[in-house]
Coordinates of all heavy atoms in Angstrom, one line a residue:
M1 N -91.8 140.5 -0.3 CA -93.2 140.7 -0.8 C -93.3 140.9 -2.4 O -94.3 140.4 -2.9 CB -93.7 142.0 -0.1 CG -95.2 142.3 -0.4 SD -96.2 141.1 0.4 CE -97.9 141.6 -0.1
H2 N -92.3 141.4 -2.9 CA -92.3 141.6 -4.4 C -92.4 140.4 -5.1 O -93.3 140.3 -6.0 CB -90.9 142.4 -4.7 CG -91.3 143.6 -5.6 ND1 -90.9 143.7 -7.0 CD2 -92.1 144.7 -5.4 CE1 -91.5 144.8 -7.4 NE2 -92.2 145.4 -6.5
E3 N -91.7 139.3 -4.7 CA -91.8 138.1 -5.4 C -93.2 137.5 -5.3 O -93.7 136.6 -6.0 CB -90.8 137.1 -5.0 CG -90.7 136.6 -3.7 CD -89.9 137.6 -2.7 OE1 -89.7 138.7 -3.1 OE2 -89.6 137.3 -1.5
L4 N -93.9 137.8 -4.1 CA -95.2 137.3 -3.9 C -96.3 137.9 -4.9 O -97.3 137.3 -5.2 CB -95.7 137.6 -2.4 CG -95.0 136.8 -1.3 CD1 -95.4 137.4 0.0 CD2 -95.2 135.4 -1.4
I5 N -96.1 139.1 -5.4 CA -97.0 139.7 -6.2 C -96.6 139.8 -7.8 O -97.2 140.3 -8.6 CB -97.3 141.2 -5.8 CG1 -96.1 142.0 -5.6 CG2 -98.1 141.0 -4.4 CD1 -96.5 143.5 -5.2
D6 N -95.4 139.2 -7.9 CA -95.0 139.1 -9.3 C -95.7 138.0 -10.1 O -95.8 136.9 -9.7 CB -93.4 138.7 -9.3 CG -92.7 138.9 -10.7 OD1 -93.6 138.9 -11.7 OD2 -91.7 138.7 -10.7
S7 N -96.4 138.3 -11.1 CA -97.2 137.6 -11.9 C -96.5 136.5 -12.8 O -97.1 135.5 -13.1 CB -98.3 138.2 -12.7 OG -97.7 139.1 -13.7
T8 N -95.2 136.7 -13.0 CA -94.4 135.8 -13.6 C -93.8 134.8 -12.7 O -92.6 134.8 -12.3 CB -93.2 136.5 -14.4 OG1 -92.4 137.2 -13.5 CG2 -93.8 137.5 -15.5
E9 N -94.7 133.8 -12.3 CA -94.4 132.8 -11.2 C -93.3 131.9 -11.9 O -93.4 131.4 -12.8 CB -95.6 132.0 -10.9 CG -96.6 132.8 -10.2 CD -96.4 133.1 -8.9 OE1 -95.5 132.6 -8.3 OE2 -97.0 134.0 -8.2
P10 N -92.4 131.6 -10.9 CA -91.3 130.5 -11.4 C -92.0 129.2 -11.4 O -93.0 128.9 -10.8 CB -90.1 130.7 -10.3 CG -90.9 131.3 -9.1 CD -92.0 132.1 -9.7
A11 N -91.5 128.3 -12.3 CA -92.2 127.0 -12.5 C -92.0 126.3 -11.2 O -91.0 126.4 -10.5 CB -91.4 126.3 -13.5
I12 N -93.1 125.6 -10.8 CA -93.2 124.9 -9.5 C -93.1 123.4 -9.8 O -93.8 122.9 -10.7 CB -94.4 125.2 -8.6 CG1 -94.4 126.7 -8.2 CG2 -94.7 124.2 -7.7 CD1 -95.4 127.1 -7.3
G13 N -92.2 122.6 -9.2 CA -91.9 121.3 -9.7 C -92.6 120.2 -9.0 O -92.6 119.0 -9.4
S14 N -93.0 120.5 -7.8 CA -93.7 119.4 -7.0 C -94.9 119.9 -6.1 O -95.0 121.2 -5.9 CB -92.6 118.8 -6.0 OG -92.2 119.8 -5.0
L15 N -95.6 119.0 -5.5 CA -96.7 119.4 -4.6 C -96.3 120.0 -3.5 O -96.7 121.2 -3.0 CB -97.5 118.2 -4.4 CG -98.8 118.4 -3.3 CD1 -99.7 119.3 -4.0 CD2 -99.3 116.9 -3.1
A16 N -95.1 119.6 -2.9 CA -94.6 120.2 -1.7 C -94.2 121.6 -1.9 O -94.3 122.5 -1.0 CB -93.4 119.4 -1.1
E17 N -93.6 121.8 -3.0 CA -93.0 123.2 -3.5 C -94.2 124.1 -3.6 O -94.3 125.2 -3.2 CB -92.3 123.0 -4.8 CG -91.1 123.9 -4.8 CD -90.4 123.8 -6.1 OE1 -90.1 122.6 -6.6 OE2 -90.1 124.9 -6.8
A18 N -95.4 123.6 -4.3 CA -96.4 124.4 -4.6 C -97.1 124.8 -3.2 O -97.6 125.9 -3.0 CB -97.5 123.6 -5.4
R19 N -97.2 123.8 -2.2 CA -97.8 124.1 -1.0 C -97.0 125.0 -0.2 O -97.5 126.0 0.5 CB -98.0 122.8 -0.2 CG -99.3 122.0 -0.8 CD -99.6 120.8 0.1 NE -100.8 120.3 -0.4 CZ -101.2 119.0 -0.2 NH1 -100.3 118.1 0.6 NH2 -102.3 118.4 -0.5
A20 N -95.7 125.0 -0.1 CA -94.8 125.9 0.4 C -95.0 127.2 -0.1 O -95.1 128.3 0.6 CB -93.4 125.5 0.4
A21 N -95.2 127.5 -1.4 CA -95.5 128.7 -2.0 C -96.9 129.3 -1.5 O -96.9 130.5 -1.2 CB -95.4 128.6 -3.5
I22 N -97.7 128.4 -1.4 CA -99.1 128.9 -0.9 C -99.0 129.3 0.6 O -99.6 130.3 1.0 CB -100.1 127.7 -1.1 CG1 -100.7 127.7 -2.6 CG2 -101.4 128.0 -0.1 CD1 -101.6 126.7 -2.9
D23 N -98.3 128.5 1.3 CA -98.1 128.9 2.8 C -97.5 130.2 2.9 O -97.9 131.1 3.8 CB -97.2 127.9 3.5 CG -97.9 126.5 3.7 OD1 -99.1 126.5 3.5 OD2 -97.2 125.5 4.0
E24 N -96.4 130.6 2.0 CA -95.9 131.9 2.0 C -96.8 133.0 1.7 O -96.8 134.0 2.4 CB -94.7 131.8 1.1 CG -93.6 132.9 1.4 CD -92.6 132.8 0.3 OE1 -92.2 131.8 -0.2 OE2 -92.0 133.9 0.0
I25 N -97.6 132.7 0.8 CA -98.5 133.8 0.3 C -99.6 134.0 1.5 O -100.0 135.1 1.8 CB -99.3 133.3 -1.0 CG1 -98.3 133.5 -2.1 CG2 -100.5 134.2 -1.3 CD1 -98.7 132.8 -3.4
D26 N -100.1 132.8 2.1 CA -101.1 132.9 3.1 C -100.6 133.6 4.3 O -101.3 134.3 4.9 CB -101.6 131.5 3.5 CG -102.5 130.9 2.4 OD1 -102.9 131.7 1.4 OD2 -102.8 129.6 2.4
A27 N -99.3 133.5 4.5 CA -98.7 134.1 5.8 C -98.6 135.7 5.5 O -99.0 136.5 6.3 CB -97.2 133.6 6.0
A28 N -98.4 136.0 4.2 CA -98.4 137.5 3.8 C -99.9 137.9 4.0 O -100.1 139.1 4.4 CB -97.8 137.6 2.5
L29 N -100.8 137.1 3.4 CA -102.2 137.7 3.5 C -102.6 137.8 4.9 O -103.3 138.9 5.2 CB -103.1 136.6 2.9 CG -103.3 136.6 1.4 CD1 -104.1 135.3 1.0 CD2 -103.9 137.8 1.0
A30 N -102.2 136.9 5.8 CA -102.6 137.0 7.2 C -102.1 138.3 7.8 O -102.9 139.1 8.6 CB -102.1 135.9 8.0
V31 N -100.7 138.6 7.6 CA -100.2 139.9 8.0 C -101.1 141.1 7.4 O -101.4 142.2 8.2 CB -98.7 140.1 7.6 CG1 -98.1 141.3 7.9 CG2 -97.9 139.0 8.4
L32 N -101.4 141.1 6.2 CA -102.1 142.2 5.7 C -103.5 142.3 6.1 O -104.0 143.3 6.4 CB -102.1 142.0 4.0 CG -100.8 142.1 3.3 CD1 -101.0 141.9 1.8 CD2 -100.4 143.7 3.5
L33 N -104.1 141.1 6.5 CA -105.5 141.1 7.0 C -105.4 141.7 8.4 O -106.5 142.3 8.8 CB -106.1 139.7 7.0 CG -106.5 139.4 5.6 CD1 -106.9 137.7 5.7 CD2 -107.7 140.0 5.1
E34 N -104.5 141.4 9.1 CA -104.4 141.9 10.6 C -104.2 143.5 10.4 O -104.8 144.1 11.2 CB -103.1 141.2 11.3 CG -103.0 141.7 12.6 CD -104.1 141.0 13.7 OE1 -104.8 140.2 13.2 OE2 -104.0 141.5 14.8
R35 N -103.3 144.1 9.6 CA -103.2 145.3 9.4 C -104.4 146.1 8.9 O -104.9 147.0 9.4 CB -102.1 145.6 8.4 CG -100.7 145.7 9.0 CD -99.7 146.1 7.9 NE -99.9 147.4 7.2 CZ -99.4 147.8 6.0 NH1 -98.6 146.9 5.4 NH2 -99.6 148.9 5.7
R36 N -105.1 145.3 8.0 CA -106.4 146.0 7.5 C -107.4 146.1 8.6 O -108.2 147.1 8.7 CB -106.9 145.1 6.4 CG -108.0 145.8 5.6 CD -108.8 144.8 4.5 NE -109.5 145.6 3.6 CZ -110.7 146.2 4.0 NH1 -111.1 146.1 5.2 NH2 -111.4 146.9 3.0
T37 N -107.6 145.0 9.5 CA -108.4 145.1 10.5 C -108.2 146.1 11.5 O -109.2 146.8 12.0 CB -108.3 143.7 11.3 OG1 -108.7 142.7 10.3 CG2 -109.4 143.6 12.3
A38 N -106.9 146.4 11.7 CA -106.5 147.5 12.7 C -107.0 148.9 12.1 O -107.6 149.6 12.8 CB -105.1 147.5 13.0
I39 N -106.7 149.0 10.8 CA -107.0 150.3 10.2 C -108.6 150.5 10.0 O -109.0 151.6 10.3 CB -106.2 150.5 8.9 CG1 -104.7 150.6 9.1 CG2 -106.7 151.8 8.1 CD1 -103.9 150.5 7.8
A40 N -109.1 149.4 9.7 CA -110.5 149.4 9.5 C -111.2 149.9 10.8 O -112.3 150.6 10.9 CB -111.2 148.3 8.9
G41 N -110.7 149.4 12.0 CA -111.0 149.7 13.2 C -111.0 151.0 13.5 O -111.9 151.8 14.1
Q42 N -110.0 151.6 13.2 CA -109.7 153.2 13.3 C -110.7 153.9 12.6 O -111.3 154.9 13.0 CB -108.4 153.6 13.0 CG -107.2 153.1 13.9 CD -105.9 153.5 13.4 OE1 -105.8 154.4 12.8 NE2 -104.7 152.7 13.8
V43 N -111.0 153.5 11.3 CA -112.0 154.1 10.5 C -113.3 154.1 11.2 O -114.1 155.1 11.1 CB -112.3 153.4 9.1 CG1 -113.3 154.0 8.3 CG2 -110.9 153.6 8.2
Q44 N -113.7 153.0 11.9 CA -115.1 153.0 12.5 C -115.1 154.2 13.7 O -116.2 154.6 14.0 CB -115.4 151.6 13.1 CG -115.3 150.6 12.2 CD -116.0 150.8 10.8 OE1 -117.0 151.4 10.8 NE2 -115.2 150.5 9.7
R45 N -114.0 154.4 14.3 CA -113.9 155.3 15.4 C -113.9 156.8 14.9 O -114.4 157.8 15.5 CB -112.7 155.2 16.2 CG -112.7 153.9 16.9 CD -111.5 153.6 17.9 NE -111.7 154.3 19.1 CZ -111.0 154.2 20.3 NH1 -109.9 153.3 20.3 NH2 -111.2 154.7 21.4
L46 N -113.4 157.0 13.5 CA -113.6 158.2 12.9 C -114.8 158.6 12.3 O -115.2 159.9 12.1 CB -112.5 158.3 11.9 CG -110.9 158.4 12.3 CD1 -110.0 158.1 11.2 CD2 -110.6 159.7 13.1
K47 N -115.7 157.7 11.9 CA -117.0 157.9 11.2 C -117.9 158.4 12.2 O -118.0 157.9 13.4 CB -117.4 156.6 10.5 CG -116.6 156.3 9.2 CD -117.0 154.9 8.8 CE -118.2 154.8 8.3 NZ -118.4 153.5 7.4
P48 N -118.8 159.2 11.7 CA -120.0 159.8 12.6 C -120.8 158.5 13.0 O -121.2 158.5 14.2 CB -120.8 160.7 11.8 CG -120.2 160.7 10.4 CD -118.9 159.8 10.4
V49 N -121.1 157.5 12.3 CA -121.8 156.3 12.6 C -120.9 155.2 12.3 O -120.6 154.9 11.0 CB -123.1 156.2 11.9 CG1 -123.7 154.8 12.4 CG2 -124.0 157.3 12.3
G50 N -120.3 154.4 13.2 CA -119.4 153.3 12.9 C -119.9 152.0 12.9 O -121.2 151.9 13.0
G51 N -119.2 151.0 12.7 CA -119.7 149.6 12.9 C -120.7 149.2 11.6 O -120.7 150.0 10.7
F52 N -121.5 148.2 11.9 CA -122.4 147.7 10.8 C -123.4 148.8 10.5 O -124.0 148.9 9.4 CB -123.1 146.5 11.4 CG -122.2 145.3 11.2 CD1 -121.4 144.8 12.2 CD2 -122.3 144.5 9.9 CE1 -120.6 143.6 12.1 CE2 -121.4 143.3 9.8 CZ -120.6 142.9 10.9
A53 N -123.8 149.7 11.5 CA -124.8 150.6 11.3 C -124.3 151.6 10.3 O -125.2 152.2 9.6 CB -125.2 151.3 12.7
G54 N -123.1 151.8 10.1 CA -122.4 152.8 9.3 C -122.0 152.2 8.0 O -121.1 152.9 7.3
R55 N -122.3 151.2 7.7 CA -121.9 150.4 6.4 C -122.1 151.3 5.2 O -123.2 151.9 5.0 CB -122.5 149.1 6.4 CG -121.7 148.1 5.6 CD -122.0 146.7 6.0 NE -121.1 145.9 5.1 CZ -121.2 144.6 5.0 NH1 -122.1 143.9 5.8 NH2 -120.5 143.9 4.3
N56 N -121.0 151.2 4.3 CA -121.1 152.2 3.1 C -120.9 151.2 1.8 O -119.7 150.9 1.5 CB -120.0 153.3 3.2 CG -120.0 154.2 2.0 OD1 -120.4 153.8 1.0 ND2 -119.4 155.3 2.3
R57 N -122.0 150.8 1.3 CA -122.0 149.9 0.0 C -121.2 150.4 -1.1 O -120.6 149.7 -1.8 CB -123.4 149.4 -0.3 CG -124.0 148.8 0.9 CD -123.6 147.4 1.2 NE -124.3 146.7 2.2 CZ -124.1 145.5 2.7 NH1 -123.1 144.7 2.0 NH2 -124.9 144.9 3.7
E58 N -121.3 151.8 -1.2 CA -120.7 152.4 -2.4 C -119.2 152.3 -2.3 O -118.5 152.0 -3.2 CB -121.1 153.9 -2.4 CG -121.0 154.5 -3.8 CD -121.4 155.9 -3.7 OE1 -122.3 156.3 -3.1 OE2 -120.7 156.9 -4.3
R59 N -118.7 152.6 -1.1 CA -117.3 152.4 -0.7 C -116.8 151.0 -1.0 O -115.8 150.7 -1.6 CB -116.9 152.9 0.7 CG -115.5 152.6 1.1 CD -114.5 153.5 0.5 NE -113.3 153.1 0.9 CZ -112.1 152.9 0.3 NH1 -112.1 153.3 -1.1 NH2 -110.9 152.6 0.8
E60 N -117.6 150.1 -0.5 CA -117.3 148.6 -0.7 C -117.2 148.2 -2.1 O -116.3 147.6 -2.6 CB -118.2 147.7 0.0 CG -118.1 147.9 1.5 CD -119.1 146.9 2.4 OE1 -119.5 145.9 1.8 OE2 -119.4 147.4 3.5
H61 N -118.1 148.9 -3.0 CA -118.1 148.6 -4.4 C -116.9 149.1 -5.1 O -116.2 148.5 -5.9 CB -119.3 149.2 -5.1 CG -119.5 148.9 -6.5 ND1 -119.7 147.7 -7.1 CD2 -119.3 149.8 -7.5 CE1 -119.7 147.7 -8.4 NE2 -119.5 148.9 -8.8
E62 N -116.4 150.3 -4.6 CA -115.2 150.8 -5.2 C -114.0 150.0 -4.8 O -113.1 149.9 -5.7 CB -114.9 152.3 -4.6 CG -115.8 153.4 -5.1 CD -115.8 154.7 -4.2 OE1 -114.8 154.7 -3.3 OE2 -116.5 155.5 -4.4
I63 N -114.0 149.6 -3.6 CA -112.8 148.7 -3.2 C -112.8 147.4 -4.2 O -111.8 147.0 -4.5 CB -113.0 148.1 -1.7 CG1 -112.8 149.5 -0.8 CG2 -112.1 147.0 -1.4 CD1 -113.2 149.2 0.6
V64 N -113.8 146.8 -4.4 CA -114.0 145.6 -5.1 C -113.6 145.8 -6.5 O -112.7 145.1 -7.2 CB -115.5 144.9 -5.1 CG1 -115.7 143.9 -6.3 CG2 -115.7 144.4 -3.7
M65 N -114.1 147.0 -7.1 CA -113.8 147.3 -8.5 C -112.1 147.6 -8.6 O -111.6 147.3 -9.7 CB -114.6 148.3 -9.0 CG -116.1 148.2 -9.1 SD -116.5 146.5 -9.8 CE -116.2 146.8 -11.5
A66 N -111.6 148.2 -7.6 CA -110.1 148.5 -7.8 C -109.3 147.2 -7.7 O -108.4 147.0 -8.3 CB -109.9 149.5 -6.6
M67 N -109.9 146.4 -6.7 CA -109.1 145.0 -6.7 C -109.4 144.2 -8.0 O -108.5 143.4 -8.4 CB -109.7 144.3 -5.5 CG -109.2 144.9 -4.2 SD -109.8 144.2 -2.7 CE -108.8 142.7 -2.6
A68 N -110.6 144.2 -8.6 CA -110.8 143.4 -9.8 C -109.9 143.8 -11.0 O -109.5 143.0 -11.7 CB -112.2 143.6 -10.2
A69 N -109.5 145.1 -11.0 CA -108.6 145.6 -12.0 C -107.2 144.9 -11.8 O -106.5 144.6 -12.7 CB -108.4 147.1 -11.9
K70 N -106.8 144.6 -10.5 CA -105.6 144.0 -10.2 C -105.7 142.5 -10.2 O -104.6 141.7 -10.1 CB -105.0 144.4 -8.9 CG -104.6 145.9 -8.9 CD -104.2 146.2 -7.6 CE -104.0 147.8 -7.6 NZ -102.7 148.2 -8.2
A71 N -106.9 141.8 -10.1 CA -106.9 140.3 -10.0 C -108.0 139.9 -11.0 O -109.2 139.5 -10.6 CB -107.5 140.1 -8.6
P72 N -107.8 140.0 -12.3 CA -108.8 139.7 -13.3 C -109.3 138.3 -13.3 O -110.3 137.9 -13.7 CB -108.1 140.1 -14.6 CG -106.6 140.2 -14.3 CD -106.5 140.5 -12.9
S73 N -108.4 137.4 -12.8 CA -108.9 136.0 -12.9 C -110.0 135.8 -11.9 O -111.0 135.0 -12.2 CB -107.8 135.0 -12.4 OG -106.6 135.2 -13.2
L74 N -110.0 136.5 -10.9 CA -111.1 136.3 -9.7 C -112.3 137.1 -10.2 O -113.4 136.6 -10.2 CB -110.6 137.0 -8.4 CG -109.6 135.9 -7.8 CD1 -109.0 136.6 -6.5 CD2 -110.3 134.6 -7.2
G75 N -112.1 138.4 -10.7 CA -113.3 139.1 -11.2 C -114.1 139.7 -10.0 O -114.0 139.2 -9.0
P76 N -114.9 140.7 -10.3 CA -115.7 141.5 -9.3 C -116.7 140.5 -8.5 O -116.8 140.8 -7.4 CB -116.5 142.5 -10.2 CG -116.2 142.3 -11.5 CD -115.2 141.2 -11.6
E77 N -117.3 139.5 -9.0 CA -118.2 138.8 -8.4 C -117.5 138.0 -7.3 O -118.1 138.0 -6.1 CB -118.9 137.7 -9.2 CG -120.5 138.2 -9.3 CD -121.1 137.3 -10.3 OE1 -121.3 136.1 -10.0 OE2 -121.6 137.8 -11.5
R78 N -116.4 137.2 -7.6 CA -115.8 136.4 -6.5 C -115.1 137.4 -5.5 O -115.2 137.2 -4.3 CB -114.8 135.6 -7.1 CG -115.3 134.4 -8.0 CD -114.4 133.4 -8.4 NE -114.9 132.6 -9.4 CZ -114.9 132.8 -10.8 NH1 -114.2 133.9 -11.2 NH2 -115.4 131.9 -11.6
L79 N -114.5 138.5 -6.0 CA -113.9 139.5 -5.2 C -114.8 140.2 -4.1 O -114.5 140.4 -3.0 CB -113.1 140.5 -5.9 CG -111.8 140.1 -6.5 CD1 -111.4 141.0 -7.6 CD2 -110.7 139.8 -5.5
A80 N -116.1 140.2 -4.6 CA -117.2 140.9 -3.8 C -117.3 139.9 -2.7 O -117.6 140.3 -1.5 CB -118.4 141.2 -4.6
K81 N -117.5 138.7 -2.9 CA -117.7 137.6 -1.9 C -116.5 137.6 -0.9 O -116.8 137.7 0.4 CB -117.8 136.2 -2.3 CG -119.1 136.0 -3.0 CD -119.2 134.5 -3.4 CE -120.0 134.2 -4.7 NZ -119.7 133.0 -5.4
I82 N -115.5 137.7 -1.3 CA -114.2 137.6 -0.5 C -114.1 138.9 0.4 O -113.9 138.8 1.5 CB -112.9 137.6 -1.3 CG1 -112.7 136.2 -2.0 CG2 -111.6 137.8 -0.4 CD1 -111.8 136.0 -3.1
M83 N -114.3 140.1 -0.3 CA -114.1 141.3 0.5 C -115.3 141.6 1.4 O -115.2 142.2 2.5 CB -114.0 142.5 -0.5 CG -112.6 142.5 -1.2 SD -111.3 142.1 -0.2 CE -111.3 143.7 0.9
N84 N -116.6 140.9 1.0 CA -117.7 141.1 2.0 C -117.2 140.4 3.3 O -117.4 140.8 4.4 CB -118.9 140.3 1.4 CG -120.0 140.7 2.3 OD1 -120.4 141.8 2.5 ND2 -120.8 139.6 2.7
A85 N -116.6 139.1 3.2 CA -116.2 138.4 4.4 C -115.0 139.2 5.2 O -115.2 139.2 6.3 CB -115.7 137.0 4.0
V86 N -114.1 139.7 4.4 CA -113.0 140.5 5.0 C -113.7 141.7 5.8 O -113.3 142.0 7.0 CB -112.0 140.9 4.0 CG1 -111.1 141.9 4.6 CG2 -111.3 139.8 3.6
I87 N -114.6 142.4 5.1 CA -115.1 143.7 5.7 C -116.0 143.3 7.0 O -115.9 144.0 7.9 CB -115.8 144.6 4.6 CG1 -114.8 145.1 3.7 CG2 -116.7 145.6 5.2 CD1 -115.5 145.7 2.4
E88 N -116.8 142.4 6.8 CA -117.6 141.9 8.0 C -116.8 141.5 9.1 O -117.1 141.8 10.3 CB -118.7 140.9 7.5 CG -119.8 141.5 6.7 CD -120.9 140.6 6.4 OE1 -121.0 139.4 6.8 OE2 -121.9 141.1 5.8
A89 N -115.8 140.8 8.8 CA -114.9 140.3 10.0 C -114.2 141.6 10.7 O -114.2 141.6 11.9 CB -113.7 139.5 9.5
G90 N -113.9 142.6 10.0 CA -113.3 143.8 10.5 C -114.3 144.5 11.2 O -113.9 145.1 12.4
L91 N -115.5 144.6 10.7 CA -116.5 145.2 11.5 C -116.9 144.6 12.8 O -117.1 145.2 13.9 CB -117.9 145.4 10.7 CG -117.7 146.4 9.5 CD1 -119.0 146.3 8.7 CD2 -117.5 147.8 9.9
E92 N -116.9 143.3 12.8 CA -117.1 142.3 14.0 C -116.0 142.7 15.1 O -116.4 142.9 16.3 CB -117.1 140.9 13.7 CG -118.4 140.4 13.2 CD -118.3 138.9 12.7 OE1 -117.5 138.2 13.2 OE2 -119.1 138.6 11.8
V93 N -114.9 142.7 14.6 CA -113.7 143.0 15.5 C -113.9 144.4 16.1 O -113.7 144.5 17.3 CB -112.3 142.8 14.9 CG1 -111.1 143.4 15.9 CG2 -112.1 141.3 14.5
A94 N -114.2 145.4 15.3 CA -114.4 146.8 15.7 C -115.4 146.9 16.7 O -115.4 147.5 17.8 CB -114.7 147.7 14.6
E95 N -116.6 146.1 16.5 CA -117.6 146.2 17.4 C -117.4 145.5 18.7 O -117.8 146.1 19.9 CB -119.0 145.6 16.7 CG -119.5 146.5 15.5 CD -121.0 146.5 15.3 OE1 -121.7 145.5 15.9 OE2 -121.4 147.4 14.7
Q96 N -116.7 144.5 18.7 CA -116.3 143.7 19.9 C -115.4 144.5 20.8 O -115.5 144.7 22.0 CB -115.4 142.5 19.5 CG -116.0 141.2 20.0 CD -115.2 140.1 19.4 OE1 -114.0 140.0 19.2 NE2 -115.9 139.0 19.1
R97 N -114.5 145.3 20.1 CA -113.6 146.2 20.7 C -114.3 147.4 21.4 O -114.1 147.8 22.5 CB -112.5 146.7 19.9 CG -111.4 145.5 19.7 CD -110.2 145.9 18.8 NE -109.4 144.7 18.7 CZ -108.4 144.5 17.7 NH1 -108.4 145.5 16.8 NH2 -107.7 143.5 17.7
R98 N -115.3 147.9 20.6 CA -116.1 149.0 21.1 C -116.9 148.6 22.3 O -116.9 149.3 23.4 CB -117.0 149.5 20.1 CG -117.6 150.9 20.5 CD -118.7 151.3 19.5 NE -119.6 150.4 19.2 CZ -120.6 150.5 18.3 NH1 -120.7 151.7 17.5 NH2 -121.5 149.6 18.1
A99 N -117.4 147.4 22.4 CA -118.3 146.9 23.4 C -117.3 146.7 24.6 O -117.8 147.0 25.8 CB -118.9 145.5 23.0
A100 N -116.0 146.2 24.5 CA -115.2 146.0 25.5 C -114.7 147.4 26.2 O -114.8 147.5 27.4 CB -113.9 145.3 25.0
R101 N -114.6 148.4 25.3 CA -114.2 149.8 25.7 C -115.4 150.3 26.6 O -115.2 150.9 27.5 CB -113.9 150.6 24.6 CG -112.6 150.7 24.1 CD -112.3 151.9 23.2 NE -113.2 152.2 22.1 CZ -113.2 151.5 21.0 NH1 -112.2 150.7 20.7 NH2 -114.2 151.9 20.1
D102 N -116.6 150.1 26.0 CA -117.8 150.7 26.6 C -118.3 149.9 27.9 O -119.3 150.3 28.5 CB -119.0 150.7 25.6 CG -118.7 151.7 24.4 OD1 -117.6 152.4 24.6 OD2 -119.4 151.8 23.5
G103 N -117.7 148.7 28.0 CA -118.1 148.0 29.1 C -119.5 147.3 28.9 O -120.2 147.0 29.9
S104 N -119.9 147.2 27.7 CA -121.4 146.6 27.5 C -121.3 145.3 26.8 O -120.3 144.9 26.3 CB -122.1 147.6 26.5 OG -121.3 147.9 25.2
Ligands
LIG201 O1 -114.5 153.2 4.6 C1 -115.3 153.0 5.5 O2 -116.3 153.7 5.5 C2 -115.3 151.9 6.4 O3 -116.0 151.8 7.3 C3 -114.2 150.8 6.1 C4 -114.9 149.6 5.4 C5 -113.7 148.7 5.1 O4 -113.4 147.8 5.9 O5 -113.0 148.9 4.1 C6 -115.9 149.0 6.4 C7 -117.2 149.2 6.2 C8 -117.8 150.0 5.1 O6 -119.0 149.4 4.6 C9 -116.9 150.3 3.9 C10 -115.5 150.0 4.1

């Protein structure tokens, strides 16, 4: 994982090598997204009002700003779009699971 987040990228010599590096990063992202989805689902169960109804835009803004400090090339506007998609996907999964549990 460390080499994945090291900003001093080694020189990439070919398209195949570049795509292999992207595949490795995307595999790590997928694992992190799966973990995030699981934990965000637990958060929905802990909140007095979970799911889309309990959406907290202030917390989402904090998440984006913290990420923007670590990803300056993307910046807050693009990260907000990315994280909106990630957060909404997590809420959808949580709501689907809740519906399956409630039998509704
Ligand atoms: O922190 C919360 O309150 C959550 O519900 C988690 C989460 C997230 O996925 O990070 C999801 C929805 C909220 O709008 C904000 C953040």
Side-chain angles (χ1 to χ4, degrees):
M1 187 65 177
H2 231 241
E3 64 276 13
L4 289 174
I5 56 173
D6 186 349
S7 59
T8 57
E9 294 287 344
I12 287 177
S14 68
L15 176 60
E17 218 182 311
R19 284 184 173 161
I22 283 179
D23 288 347
E24 200 182 327
I25 290 166
D26 289 347
L29 274 176
V31 170
L32 290 174
L33 285 169
E34 186 70 10
R35 271 182 65 198
R36 192 190 196 286
T37 301
I39 293 170
Q42 288 180 30
V43 172
Q44 304 321 311
R45 297 184 77 169
L46 291 167
K47 285 168 70 164
V49 180
F52 281 93
R55 205 149 176 191
N56 181 339
R57 300 288 182 177
E58 201 182 319
R59 169 68 181 146
E60 292 183 24
H61 182 69
E62 282 169 12
I63 290 170
V64 167
M65 295 316 284
M67 290 177 78
K70 292 178 185 293
S73 307
L74 288 169
E77 245 176 71
R78 291 187 193 91
L79 284 165
K81 287 187 209 160
I82 293 167
M83 292 315 294
N84 188 59
V86 168
I87 287 168
E88 288 190 351
L91 291 173
E92 277 173 28
V93 171
E95 293 214 340
Q96 235 170 41
R97 290 185 176 154
R98 187 183 56 185
R101 273 195 310 276
D102 296 352
S104 54

